Amino acid sequence: MGKLPPQALEIEEAVLGALMIEKDALTNVIDILKPESFYKDSHKEIYRAILDLFSMSEPVDILTVTQRLRNTGKLEMAGGPFYITELTSRVNSAANIEAHARIITQQSIKRELISIASEIQRDAYEDTTDVFQLLDKTEQNLFTISESNIRKNFADMRSLMQQAIKELESKKDHKDGLTGVPTGFSALDRVTSGWQRSDLVILAARPGMGKTAFVVSAMRNAAVEFGHAVAIFSLEMSSIQLVNRLISAEAELESEKIKKGNLAQYEWEQLHYKIRNLEAAPIFIDDTPALSILELRAKCRRLKAQHDIQLIIIDYLQLMSGDSSGRGGGGNREQEIASISRALKNLAKELDVPVIALSQLSRAVETRGGEKKPQLSDLRESGSIEQDADMVIFLYRPEYYGITQDESGNPTTNMGEVIIAKHRNGSLDTVQLKFIGKFTKFGDLDTGNMSPFGSAAFPDMNAMPSEFETPPGTITLGSRANPGYTPKLNNPPDDTPPF
């Protein structure tokens, strides 16, 4: 079309010259520039030589760069010794090198966008092209360009080792041992250290065990208590139904009352007061039915770019559909589930966030005798779920099967077990939680009250000091210092509001 690709050759020359006259200049641009950012091939080779010298802790100047290019056999390709010397005469200092490097990067991004646009145009004219795969490929390429210009683009052993040591040093400051997104359940966090980045977590159970209640409780804790942005894709429940569950758990009002709206005046006051934290929480809910893996990836990339989400939840895996390419042999569901689980693992790695996918268990659990505790072999429809997952967690409530005591003779009323059956980067364990059915939520078993959101100062609200007692006919509401305190009405006269 008679146009040259976007380029800034004079600025490329100035940047390379500045890198060879000031030893500390490279540290200002090493996260911005990569060899492919340069338009001219000779400039790419010179910058590679500079990076090589830096990684070996060698000085960077005209002589060392020339010698490095000579050793690698790229000196003539880079323009020869005279051209390298000439580069340093085009600049006096590295004062504006960062601004110049960003201009080079901007021209490089433009060239990449032109290349992607050309591929889109070529593929769009092809009759055999699947349009949804083309959309997914395009979005992935654009996301890669965006991410590659934020993160470091080379990973030699020296830089990786420094990064690993830095992370270890930062972890030692975490007195609570949390290195991932907290679940809000202290016993579970002690085992997992939170949901870890890039992990695929499969949460599986039979219907009625409380899978959604568990993830909603964990989601609420991560978003409200710790400020992590969370996205949940609810394929089973509508967004309003999910929000009603959150309201019931947060305000500690029975879910049946929430469903019917049958609340006394003081309960309305209680509700409006308690949900204020929820309203400001960074929670994003999508209730698109039969969501495909292509749509999921596209939505998650946008949420990551726009809101920096730290946790993704899918409720639940078997309700998702695979890609629309028609591959997989006429509706082989097992292969489709396998492709979905692999895609979810890839998504976790691509966005560097934990992905929690709920899954159904087969009926084999019901036909077994004894305690009916789930096993890895009970994962429904595909063994690849177990293979792809970094962690497999089972929910088990013995009370559901009429089992009133455990092996030690302890009562199992309102108790749920979180069984960690697979943990690629940690130990296997079973954690006991309190299940509060009327509020559809889980909480720590070892707290005095039944709320997972209780105060650290007064975990047992029944043991509060006398100065916190209130006169009859009043409600005590939570506060920022004690958000988990369950509002109590002391001898309410009737339905008359106590305010």
Side-chain angles (χ1 to χ4, degrees):
M1 297 176 65
K3 293 183 179 180
L4 285 173
Q7 54 188 279
L9 292 180
E10 291 183 358
I11 294 180
E12 289 183 9
E13 293 170 353
V15 167
L16 292 174
L19 291 175
M20 289 187 285
I21 63 174
E22 290 196 18
K23 63 178 183 177
D24 296 327
L26 184 60
T27 58
N28 295 325
V29 300
I30 198 168
D31 290 339
I32 303 172
L33 290 177
K34 54 183 182 287
E36 293 75 18
S37 301
F38 292 86
Y39 176 71
K40 199 172 181 180
D41 288 339
S42 60
H43 295 169
K44 293 178 183 177
E45 296 303 331
I46 294 170
Y47 187 66
R48 282 196 184 97
I50 291 172
L51 289 179
D52 289 345
L53 291 169
F54 177 79
S55 66
M56 295 184 292
S57 298
E58 296 288 339
V60 177
D61 55 35
I62 300 173
L63 296 177
T64 56
V65 171
T66 303
Q67 187 60 41
R68 178 63 186 173
L69 288 167
R70 185 178 287 115
N71 292 342
T72 57
K74 302 289 182 64
L75 183 59
E76 295 307 316
M77 187 185 299
F82 177 75
Y83 181 71
I84 296 171
T85 304
E86 193 179 36
L87 288 174
T88 59
S89 66
R90 304 191 178 216
V91 65
N92 294 322
S93 73
N96 301 315
I97 190 170
E98 188 171 344
H100 294 161
R102 295 194 184 280
I103 294 173
I104 294 172
T105 299
Q106 289 169 11
Q107 301 304 313
S108 173
I109 291 173
K110 288 180 181 178
R111 293 196 298 271
E112 290 184 75
L113 290 173
I114 290 171
S115 175
I116 291 172
S118 299
E119 287 185 23
I120 295 170
Q121 187 176 28
R122 183 195 65 211
D123 293 342
Y125 276 110
E126 292 291 333
D127 293 334
T128 57
T129 299
D130 183 284
V131 67
F132 296 107
Q133 283 191 329
L134 179 58
L135 280 171
D136 182 62
K137 179 184 174 184
T138 302
E139 194 162 35
Q140 184 172 11
N141 288 337
L142 291 173
F143 185 82
T144 301
I145 292 175
S146 176
E147 287 293 289
S148 65
N149 288 284
I150 296 174
R151 300 174 178 174
K152 284 188 175 180
N153 294 286
F154 63 91
D156 56 79
M157 194 58 192
R158 182 185 296 274
S159 62
L160 285 175
M161 191 65 72
Q162 290 173 351
Q163 182 180 347
I165 296 299
K166 186 177 180 180
E167 285 188 4
L168 285 174
E169 289 174 348
S170 67
K171 287 176 181 178
K172 75 177 181 181
D173 298 327
H174 295 168
K175 303 302 181 185
D176 52 9
L178 288 173
T179 57
V181 178
T183 67
F185 306 122
S186 56
L188 185 58
D189 282 335
R190 280 194 290 269
V191 178
T192 64
S193 298
W195 309 120
Q196 300 297 312
R197 290 183 301 176
S198 78
D199 273 6
L200 172 60
V201 180
I202 298 296
L203 174 65
R206 287 294 294 158
M209 289 293 126
K211 297 187 297 297
T212 304
F214 176 83
V215 293
V216 166
S217 297
M219 173 184 72
R220 180 267 173 207
N221 295 342
V224 175
E225 299 294 333
F226 300 94
H228 293 290
V230 181
I232 180 167
F233 294 87
S234 178
L235 286 78
E236 187 176 33
M237 301 171 62
S238 71
S239 55
I240 296 299
Q241 288 174 323
L242 201 61
V243 168
N244 283 339
R245 282 205 175 195
L246 277 166
I247 291 172
S248 172
E250 187 74 10
E252 296 196 332
L253 295 170
E254 294 182 21
S255 54
E256 284 298 318
K257 285 189 173 184
I258 297 290
K259 187 190 300 182
K260 297 174 182 177
N262 185 23
L263 302 177
Q265 181 60 35
Y266 75 91
E267 289 175 320
W268 281 110
E269 297 283 353
Q270 175 178 321
L271 184 150
H272 286 294
Y273 185 86
K274 297 283 277 186
I275 65 172
R276 289 186 301 177
N277 289 335
L278 274 182
E279 290 176 350
I283 297 173
F284 304 92
I285 301 174
D286 186 302
D287 62 356
T288 305
L291 187 70
S292 73
I293 193 64
L294 295 179
E295 291 175 302
L296 176 71
R297 281 204 299 257
K299 291 180 177 185
C300 288
R301 286 175 191 139
R302 283 195 289 271
L303 284 167
K304 180 66 175 176
Q306 295 172 8
H307 302 287
D308 192 26
I309 55 172
Q310 300 297 309
L311 176 65
I312 297 170
I313 299 170
I314 296 103
D315 183 15
Y316 60 93
L317 188 149
Q318 278 82 8
L319 291 178
M320 291 190 68
S321 60
D323 61 47
S324 57
S325 63
R327 293 176 301 177
N332 187 324
R333 184 58 178 165
E334 191 166 315
Q335 290 182 9
E336 188 177 18
I337 291 294
S339 70
I340 291 172
S341 68
R342 281 194 298 271
L344 291 178
K345 175 57 184 173
N346 291 337
L347 179 67
K349 290 186 67 178
E350 179 184 345
L351 301 186
D352 196 30
V353 299
V355 174
I356 303 175
L358 277 60
S359 177
Q360 293 282 21
L361 290 176
S362 69
R363 290 189 179 89
V365 178
E366 313 289 346
T367 60
R368 272 202 303 270
E371 293 182 319
K372 303 184 185 297
K373 286 191 177 182
Q375 304 169 1
L376 287 173
S377 57
D378 297 324
L379 284 171
R380 186 175 167 186
E381 290 182 313
S382 177
S384 66
I385 295 178
E386 176 188 348
Q387 176 184 326
D388 296 324
D390 297 281
M391 186 185 299
V392 177
I393 293 176
F394 295 127
L395 275 184
Y396 171 67
R397 290 196 299 114
E399 186 182 16
Y400 182 84
Y401 296 109
I403 301 172
T404 57
Q405 290 184 336
D406 62 14
E407 303 92 337
S408 305
N410 298 316
T412 60
T413 306
N414 297 328
M415 191 192 76
E417 292 185 9
V418 179
I419 303 169
I420 303 175
K422 178 186 178 182
H423 195 183
R424 185 167 287 160
N425 302 307
S427 60
L428 306 182
D429 205 345
T430 297
V431 175
Q432 292 186 338
L433 298 177
K434 178 72 75 176
F435 176 70
I436 310 107
K438 61 181 179 180
F439 301 147
T440 58
K441 70 177 180 182
F442 281 82
D444 279 331
L445 190 65
D446 54 356
T447 55
N449 63 342
M450 294 172 63
S451 170
F453 323 135
S455 166
F458 300 108
D460 185 354
M461 299 311 299
N462 296 320
M464 287 177 62
S466 58
E467 60 263 32
F468 286 91
E469 293 178 359
T470 54
T474 62
I475 284 183
T476 305
L477 295 173
S479 66
R480 291 198 175 200
N482 180 26
Y485 176 41
T486 306
K488 295 180 180 178
L489 183 63
N490 294 339
N491 303 323
D494 5 317
D495 285 337
T496 308
F499 292 93

